[in-house]
């Protein structure tokens, strides 16, 4: 890739429904410029190594350019071993979560690296440009990437303590043809694309559970076209697109005795999801370009459907015939007013929109939030929406209803100031989500023990109406519109150049947010943070060195689901401790004659020590601890075509975790890379 552009705030007018909170635009590798002097060849090779995961890899590209044709081809390959966290610790390891063992005891059992965090990846790309006529260009691009040996660590020893949680295979194939030309005063662009993503999963909760093997493939075929032209002080862009997604899914379950049978897949096989959009954008300069106004609007339509004939097992359809349609009109409007040559003020209002996706409407199976069923299953059981997705969720009194799109009103305002040496930015924002889509615990008032939900038997129902299956110790969840939530905050940036060699950059932000119906904090609310970077480079540009300090404040604004989440709070109770004892701990060889060999305790004694005399469930963490991380990186231009970059991050080898991450951050990590151009 050449560049990554990050757009904050609703970008649905530009990129469609899912760009609700922003968008990441990845610019693919550029081809060499056309040559008038015959065929020119070029290339690039890069190799790297790093210490914390004993990782190594490399990439290479080769390009050719003529007068009317240019192309570049490349490939990458890398392998990472198991990750080592700060001080060799794993803060939410399942042995700590369920048995309250010390980090030293865990290291004696498992070592100082996080088991099953290693993985490999590789792929190749190609891009070709050809001139068409005087101003036209035809571009073809393709890429294929594959990850192997990928596992979800927070479901294994890093959290839930399950037996198997593999993501195999993980494949991405993507390609497009793009035509660009100028007709009179209009720039025209059209693209035809094909995107195929393959997601395989293997999961098993415990040795006595069934082994699930699933394969999900989504093929998306798209076409978009747009035209841009100037009229007076306006730059107008109009266009539209259509994308058609085809889902192919299959799943089998194998019993501990070795019997394999086909079951209803995570997503209904043959699901089709079609989206159509039309948009108009306007960039306007007024007051002798002192005032810049940007505005746009988009109409979008979405059609979801499933067919029971594509999901027949043993002669019986496993999904109902379903068809859902959603439409919406979104817009944005922003302005920048230049007060003088140094200062400007800006503001923006936008309305975002996200239609329920295949994941919202059709997902069923084991997820990060527990065992999840489709909203239609929740409606079939006359369920009420819980006030959270946690083990202690209670009914809101709202019955489950078909899903509606979620909407976002976003407001932002700020000031910028800059001169030749200094740049300052400050902004405030307020985002109001309406009809937010989220997982919620199902509350069922009728006795349903012994019935089947999502292909799993209901084995337990507590007094609050929460229901449980053998596949996960947490209550069954589904997707629902949960009302509104607001997130507001501030962001700032300060940049200062000192002469030609030194640059200081300080940036940070804070945010707060509440669910309107429950007044709970919103999920995974980012902690207050500040990052400072000081960079030195020699005048000739051959050497540079940079120090980085990151400060993250303690985050104790937890949503109830955060307390349950294995990645954040890591909830445990007597039932989950007993399940871990009888399964994972047994598999690790830690239980002998009913005794935990590390501590010499019985199961009852462990439960009493972990939960206290009340024996009530609690969370391992009631806050995400703050941290300071210090690092250094630099580079040397060995020659005009060769360079070496290096770095040592987390110099203090601190153990910390970014809030919501599924793994602790790397410990002290030395990296080095060599790059050559030819």
């Amino acid at each position: 890739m050449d560049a990554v552009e990050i757009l904050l705030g609703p970008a649905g007018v530009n990129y469609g429904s899912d760009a609700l909170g922003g968008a990441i635009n990845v610019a693919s590798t550029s081809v060499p410029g056309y040559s008038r002097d015959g065929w020119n060849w070029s290339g690039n090779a890069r190799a790297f190594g790093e210490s914390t995961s004993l990782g190594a890899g490399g990439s290479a590209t080769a390009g050719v350019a003529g007068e009317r044709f240019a192309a570049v081809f490349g490939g990458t390959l890398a392998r990472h071993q198991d990750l080592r966290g700060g001080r060799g610790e794993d803060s939410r390891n399942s042995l700590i979560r369920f048995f309250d063992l010390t980090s030293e005891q865990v290291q004696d059992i498992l070592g100082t690296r996080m088991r099953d965090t290693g993985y490999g990846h590789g792929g190749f790309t190609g891009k070709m440009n050809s001139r068409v006529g005087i101003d036209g260009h035809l571009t073809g691009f393709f890429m294929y990437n594959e990850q192997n040996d990928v596992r979800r660590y927070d479901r294994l020893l890093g959290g839930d303590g399950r037996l198997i949680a593999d993501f195999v295979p993980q494949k991405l194939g993507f390609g497009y043809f793009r035509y660009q030309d100028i007709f009179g005063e209009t720039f025209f662009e059209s693209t035809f694309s094909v995107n195929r993503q393959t997601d395989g999963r293997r999961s098993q909760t415990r040795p006595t559970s069934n082994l699930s093997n699933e394969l999900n493939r989504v093929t998306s075929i798209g076409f978009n076209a747009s035209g841009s032209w100037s009229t007076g002080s306006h730059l107008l862009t109009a266009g539209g697109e259509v994308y058609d997604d085809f889902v192919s899914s299959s799943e089998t379950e194998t019993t501990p005795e070795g019997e394999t049978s086909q079951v209803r897949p995570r997503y209904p096989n043959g699901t089709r999801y079609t989206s159509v959009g039309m948009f108009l954008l306007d960039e306007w300069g007024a007051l002798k370009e002192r005032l810049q106004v940007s505005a746009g609007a988009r109409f979008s339509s979405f059609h979801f459907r499933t067919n029971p004939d594509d999901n027949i097992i043993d002669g019986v359809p496993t999904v109902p015939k379903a068809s859902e349609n959603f439409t919406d009109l979104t817009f944005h409007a922003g302005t920048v007013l230049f007060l003088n040559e140094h200062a400007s003020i800006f503001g923006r209002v936008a309305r975002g929109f996200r239609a329920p996706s295949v994941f919202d409407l059709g997902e069923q199976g084991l997820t990060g939030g527990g065992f999840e069923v489709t909203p239609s299953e929740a409606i079939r059981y006359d369920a009420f929406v819980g006030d959270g997705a946690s083990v202690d969720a209670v009914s809101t009194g709202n019955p489950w209803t078909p899903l509606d799109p979620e909407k976002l009103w976003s407001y932002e305002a700020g000031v910028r100031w800059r001169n030749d040496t200094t740049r300052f930015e400050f902004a405030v924002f307020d985002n109001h989500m309406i009809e937010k889509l989220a997982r919620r615990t199902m509350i069922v008032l009728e006795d349903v023990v012994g019935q089947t939900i999502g292909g799993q038997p209901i084995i337990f129902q507590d007094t609050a109406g929460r229901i449980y299956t053998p596949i996960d110790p947490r209550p069954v969840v589904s997707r629902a519109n949960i009302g509104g939530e607001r997130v507001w905050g501030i962001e700032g940036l300060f940049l200062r150049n000192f002469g030609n060699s030194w640059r200081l950059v300080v940036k940070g932000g804070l945010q707060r947010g509440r669910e309107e119906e429950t007044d709970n904090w919103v999920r995974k609310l980012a902690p207050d943070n500040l990052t400072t970077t000081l960079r030195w480079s020699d005048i000739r540009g051959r050497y540079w060195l940079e120090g980085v300090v990151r400060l993250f404040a303690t985050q104790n604004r937890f949503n109830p689901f955060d307390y349950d989440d294995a990645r954040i709070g890591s909830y445990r109770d007597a039932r989950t401790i007993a399940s871990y004892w009888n399964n994972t701990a047994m598999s690790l060889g830690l239980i002998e004659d009913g005794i935990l060999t590390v501590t010499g305790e019985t199961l009852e004694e462990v439960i009493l020590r972990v939960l206290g005399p009340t024996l009530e469930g609690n969370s391992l963490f009631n806050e995400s601890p703050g941290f300071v991380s210090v690092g250094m990186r630099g580079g040397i231009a060995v020659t005009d075509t060769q360079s070496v970059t290096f770095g040592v991050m987390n110099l203090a080898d601190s153990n910390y975790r970014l809030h919501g991450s599924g793994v602790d951050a790397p410990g002290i990590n030395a990296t080095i890379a060599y790059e050559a151009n030819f």
Side-chain angles (χ1 to χ4, degrees):
M1 70 182 70
D2 276 354
V4 177
E5 178 187 17
I6 299 177
L7 305 175
L8 301 179
V13 172
N14 300 72
Y15 296 103
S17 166
D18 282 349
L20 189 66
I24 299 176
N25 183 27
V26 179
S28 58
T29 302
S30 297
V31 300
Y34 295 118
S35 171
R36 295 182 178 272
D37 303 320
W39 294 98
N40 285 339
W41 294 85
S42 60
N44 169 275
R46 182 178 184 272
F48 79 90
E50 54 93 13
S51 65
T52 194
S53 71
L54 304 178
S59 62
T61 61
V64 60
E67 186 174 355
R68 302 188 66 84
F69 176 84
V72 62
F73 301 92
T76 63
L77 186 67
R79 180 72 201 183
H80 299 268
Q81 307 305 319
D82 288 344
L83 182 69
R84 178 189 175 277
R87 298 192 298 269
E89 298 176 0
D90 181 10
S91 64
R92 288 159 180 81
N93 188 279
S94 56
L95 289 168
I96 298 176
R97 177 184 183 184
F98 296 112
F99 291 168
D100 258 356
L101 299 187
T102 66
S103 292
E104 291 76 13
Q105 290 172 320
V106 173
Q107 290 173 347
D108 289 340
I109 298 168
L110 301 175
T112 58
R113 293 187 177 272
M114 293 178 258
R115 286 190 188 179
D116 297 323
T117 55
Y119 70 98
H121 64 90
F124 56 86
T125 62
K127 190 173 185 179
M128 295 154 282
N129 275 4
S130 178
R131 283 180 173 171
V132 179
I134 299 176
D135 298 311
H137 294 273
L138 179 64
T139 301
F141 173 81
F142 68 89
M143 65 176 291
Y144 175 83
N145 283 291
E146 182 171 343
Q147 292 184 331
N148 50 71
D149 298 330
V150 179
R151 301 171 181 88
R152 182 157 175 179
Y153 185 61
D154 65 297
R155 294 185 184 174
L156 298 169
L157 290 173
D160 290 333
R162 298 175 188 169
L163 188 64
I164 299 174
D166 298 344
F167 287 134
V168 287
Q170 295 289 300
K171 301 178 180 179
L172 169 64
F174 174 68
Y176 67 78
F177 284 104
R178 176 172 296 152
Y179 177 66
Q180 298 169 309
D181 210 337
I182 298 175
F183 299 98
E185 299 297 323
T186 300
F187 173 76
F188 173 79
E189 178 178 282
S190 63
T191 304
F192 172 80
S193 64
V194 178
N195 185 335
R196 170 169 284 189
Q197 300 184 46
T198 302
D199 170 28
R201 305 188 188 194
R202 296 175 66 248
S203 59
Q204 187 174 16
T205 304
R206 56 185 71 90
T208 57
S209 301
N210 291 345
L211 171 65
S212 172
N213 281 277
E214 57 181 286
L215 185 66
N216 306 296
R217 180 177 293 115
V218 179
T219 302
S220 179
I221 300 174
F223 176 79
N224 65 69
S226 64
S228 300
W229 67 97
S230 296
T231 172
S233 57
H234 295 265
L235 174 61
L236 300 174
T237 301
E241 77 270 330
V242 57
Y243 290 94
D244 215 353
D245 299 344
F246 301 85
V247 179
S248 173
S249 293
S250 63
E251 184 170 349
T252 62
E253 284 190 353
T254 302
T255 66
E257 293 75 31
E259 297 180 0
T260 300
S261 60
Q262 188 177 5
V263 298
R264 192 266 201 201
R266 179 178 298 270
Y267 312 108
N269 183 52
T271 295
R272 192 171 175 184
Y273 194 88
T274 306
S275 60
V276 178
M278 295 176 289
F279 63 88
L280 177 65
L281 304 172
D282 182 14
E283 301 286 339
W284 175 46
L287 302 177
K288 298 181 180 181
E289 300 299 324
R290 286 185 56 202
L291 177 66
Q292 295 180 356
V293 179
S294 172
R298 167 185 285 263
F299 173 78
S300 301
S301 175
F302 305 87
H303 186 198
F304 165 87
R305 59 268 200 206
T306 61
N307 189 342
D309 294 340
D310 297 322
N311 297 270
I312 295 178
I313 299 176
D314 296 330
V316 179
T318 57
V319 301
K321 185 177 181 63
S323 179
E324 299 278 355
N325 292 283
F326 308 96
T327 59
D328 198 72
L329 181 67
T330 57
F331 74 92
H332 74 245
T335 182
V336 179
L337 177 62
F338 293 92
L339 304 177
N340 52 46
E341 62 177 329
H342 301 298
S344 62
I345 56 175
F346 62 90
R348 186 175 186 267
V349 58
R351 182 182 180 276
F353 161 83
R354 187 178 80 83
S357 67
V358 172
F359 302 96
D360 299 314
L361 296 165
E363 183 172 21
Q364 181 168 288
L366 197 58
T367 68
F371 181 65
E372 182 170 341
V373 299
T374 63
S376 60
E377 281 280 79
I379 294 171
R380 182 170 71 88
Y381 273 91
D382 296 323
F384 289 88
V385 179
D387 64 353
S390 59
V391 296
D392 58 357
V394 296
S395 175
T396 61
N398 298 324
W400 228 282
T401 58
L403 299 184
D404 289 322
E406 58 184 3
K407 307 171 185 67
L408 175 70
W409 285 90
S410 177
Y411 308 91
E412 183 181 12
V415 58
R416 299 187 181 105
W417 187 92
R418 67 169 62 200
N419 62 15
D420 293 339
T421 62
T422 306
R423 175 183 164 195
F424 170 78
E425 296 183 10
F426 179 80
V428 297
F429 63 88
D430 187 355
N431 296 327
H432 184 198
M433 181 78 77
I434 303 171
E435 296 294 338
K436 179 178 173 62
L437 289 166
R439 289 190 182 104
R440 283 295 182 261
T441 298
M442 286 176 52
I443 306 297
V444 182
L445 301 184
E446 299 292 328
D447 183 5
V448 293
V449 173
Q451 299 186 37
T452 299
I453 185 167
Q456 295 291 327
I458 299 173
I459 61 172
F460 177 68
Q461 183 176 13
D462 61 26
T463 56
R466 298 178 287 256
I467 58 178
Y468 299 80
T469 69
I471 199 171
D472 191 89
R474 292 167 292 183
V476 177
V477 296
S478 186
R479 305 277 175 142
N481 294 105
I482 62 170
E485 69 176 32
R486 286 187 60 197
V487 177
W488 62 97
I490 61 174
E491 297 171 337
L493 168 71
F494 175 79
L495 182 152
R496 172 77 178 183
N497 291 315
F498 301 92
N500 296 321
S501 297
W502 292 90
R503 168 177 288 188
L504 174 69
V505 179
V506 181
K507 57 183 178 181
L510 62 86
Q511 59 180 239
R512 302 290 184 268
R514 294 277 190 179
E515 296 176 351
E516 293 181 339
E517 186 169 341
T518 64
D519 201 39
N520 291 326
W521 294 107
V522 301
R523 281 196 61 200
K524 296 182 180 178
L525 193 64
D528 304 343
N529 61 90
L530 186 72
T531 299
T532 301
T533 304
L534 181 62
R535 182 185 180 104
W536 171 86
S537 60
D538 76 317
I539 297 176
R540 296 174 300 171
R542 297 197 59 180
Y543 309 96
W544 63 272
L545 192 64
E546 184 174 82
V548 182
V549 180
R550 298 193 304 163
L551 296 88
F552 280 70
T554 296
Q555 170 60 295
N556 54 17
R557 294 172 288 276
F558 279 14
N559 180 276
F561 186 81
D562 293 335
Y563 289 103
D564 287 356
D565 196 326
R567 298 164 294 186
I568 304 176
S570 296
Y571 180 86
R572 63 274 177 98
D573 58 20
R575 191 163 62 91
T576 55
I577 293 171
S579 176
Y580 187 79
W581 174 287
N582 291 318
N583 295 283
T584 306
M586 288 279 193
S587 299
L588 291 172
L590 300 179
I591 310 299
E592 293 183 5
D593 299 325
I595 298 296
L596 177 62
T597 57
V598 183
T599 63
E601 297 170 298
T602 64
L603 172 60
E604 291 74 16
E605 290 171 333
V606 169
I607 292 175
L608 179 63
R609 174 171 55 81
V610 173
L611 301 182
T614 65
L615 300 182
E616 293 183 358
N618 59 48
S619 295
L620 178 65
F621 286 89
N622 291 315
E623 62 183 23
S624 290
F627 63 87
V628 177
S629 176
V630 180
M632 178 192 70
R633 52 199 176 207
I636 302 172
V638 181
T639 68
D640 291 340
T641 60
Q642 301 177 74
S643 64
V644 174
T645 55
F646 56 87
V648 182
M649 305 305 291
N650 193 1
L651 286 165
D653 198 28
S654 302
N655 181 265
Y656 64 90
R657 174 173 293 209
L658 294 174
H659 182 64
S661 173
V663 65
D664 285 357
I668 184 169
N669 185 26
T671 62
I672 188 167
Y674 169 78
E675 184 171 0
N677 299 292
F678 52 89

